Amino acid sequence: MPFLAPNDGFVNVFNLFEIAEPEGQQRVVDEMKKIVDTADYPGWISSTVHEGLDTPGTLNCVQWRSVEDLRARYAGEKFKKKTVPLFDQIATSTRLLQTEVAFSQVHPSRGDVVEISPDRDDYTVFIVLGVDPEQQKELLETVAQPEPWLFDVPGYRSHTYLRGLDGTVVCNYAQWDSKELYDAFHTMPEEQRPSDVRAARVRARALATSRFANTFRAVHTRSAG
């Protein structure tokens, strides 16, 4: 199964699609599954398809050995002339976020590495923070800090921060037990959070130029042999 781990050397591409209707979401998921099941590209490591929960959309986490392998895939005629137009037709918004893992924290009861799998029942929260390239480092250092207090928060499983390779985003891939427990955490009064966490949240909001969030469930995965 795919894992998200700092220093693994992989390029993690998040194909993030916003879709107007649930029917369109299912079509994108079905088309992504077909691509994943026939993937055989030099440097391809794994692909995991997620379906949107709170709002229609999909998320495909694709791991590559290197940026060079990824660019070769993007340069292919099939990708440019068939894959891209197909998804552009279905989705209202398409983003291909090229990232690398910068920080990860896992609840002690969940092992020591973040696993992505449809065999699990993770309620996955994916957040994209836009940032000016010259401030990406500060934003990442602000949010990507150990937070052991989360181990006592009901429902917390893991969270991973990823650095956008172009400098314009910081992504957070977080796993929770359920929507209800995540919503309780998300709406937690500020005074119930540690003081250093509150300060970091204030600074992060000042540094971020935009914020996107949706929730997902992994529904299909495949890794290179």
Side-chain angles (χ1 to χ4, degrees):
M1 293 298 175
F3 300 94
L4 294 176
N7 303 316
D8 62 11
F10 295 158
V11 176
N12 296 276
V13 179
F14 291 94
N15 298 330
L16 179 64
F17 297 161
E18 294 180 80
I19 302 165
E21 302 294 339
E23 294 79 8
Q25 172 177 292
Q26 188 57 51
R27 184 182 175 193
V28 172
V29 168
D30 291 341
E31 293 295 337
M32 283 186 172
K33 286 181 178 180
K34 294 177 185 178
I35 294 172
V36 171
D37 286 343
T38 58
D40 184 22
Y41 313 109
W44 172 76
I45 304 296
S46 72
S47 295
T48 306
V49 180
H50 302 62
E51 63 180 11
L53 297 177
D54 279 1
T55 59
T58 61
L59 180 71
N60 187 12
C61 177
V62 189
Q63 296 182 312
W64 293 88
R65 180 180 56 197
S66 69
V67 172
E68 290 72 25
D69 292 316
L70 170 63
R71 288 173 178 168
R73 160 65 171 156
Y74 283 177
E77 290 300 308
K78 183 177 180 181
F79 180 81
K80 291 190 293 184
K81 294 184 177 181
K82 182 177 180 180
T83 304
V84 172
L86 171 64
F87 290 128
D88 282 346
Q89 177 186 12
I90 304 172
T92 58
S93 172
T94 301
R95 300 182 70 180
L96 304 181
L97 305 170
Q98 301 177 31
T99 72
E100 60 184 5
V101 175
F103 173 85
S104 190
Q105 177 179 285
V106 184
H107 193 285
S109 67
R110 294 282 170 175
D112 57 1
V113 68
V114 175
E115 179 184 356
I116 305 176
S117 170
D119 296 331
R120 297 164 53 98
D121 61 349
D122 299 309
Y123 182 77
T124 300
V125 182
F126 189 70
I127 299 171
V128 182
L129 299 176
V131 64
D132 292 331
E134 62 271 17
Q135 294 183 313
Q136 185 197 47
K137 183 175 184 293
E138 182 180 356
L139 176 58
L140 193 59
E141 290 175 346
T142 299
V143 296
Q145 297 291 335
E147 296 189 57
W149 72 283
L150 288 173
F151 299 154
D152 296 322
V153 175
Y156 171 78
R157 294 184 176 184
S158 76
H159 71 283
T160 301
Y161 278 103
L162 303 104
R163 176 192 300 105
L165 299 185
D166 67 355
T168 66
V169 296
V170 169
C171 302
N172 182 10
Y173 184 101
Q175 297 172 319
W176 289 79
D177 283 353
S178 67
K179 171 180 173 57
E180 292 73 22
L181 291 173
Y182 172 73
D183 285 348
F185 161 76
H186 183 60
T187 59
M188 178 187 298
E190 285 296 301
E191 60 269 19
Q192 295 183 16
R193 303 173 191 267
S195 58
D196 60 332
V197 172
R198 296 199 302 270
R201 284 163 59 84
V202 170
R203 183 57 182 157
R205 285 193 289 268
L207 291 168
T209 58
S210 63
R211 183 182 187 275
F212 166 88
N214 197 5
T215 57
F216 300 91
R217 176 175 293 111
V219 293
H220 190 67
T221 192
R222 179 169 167 260
S223 299

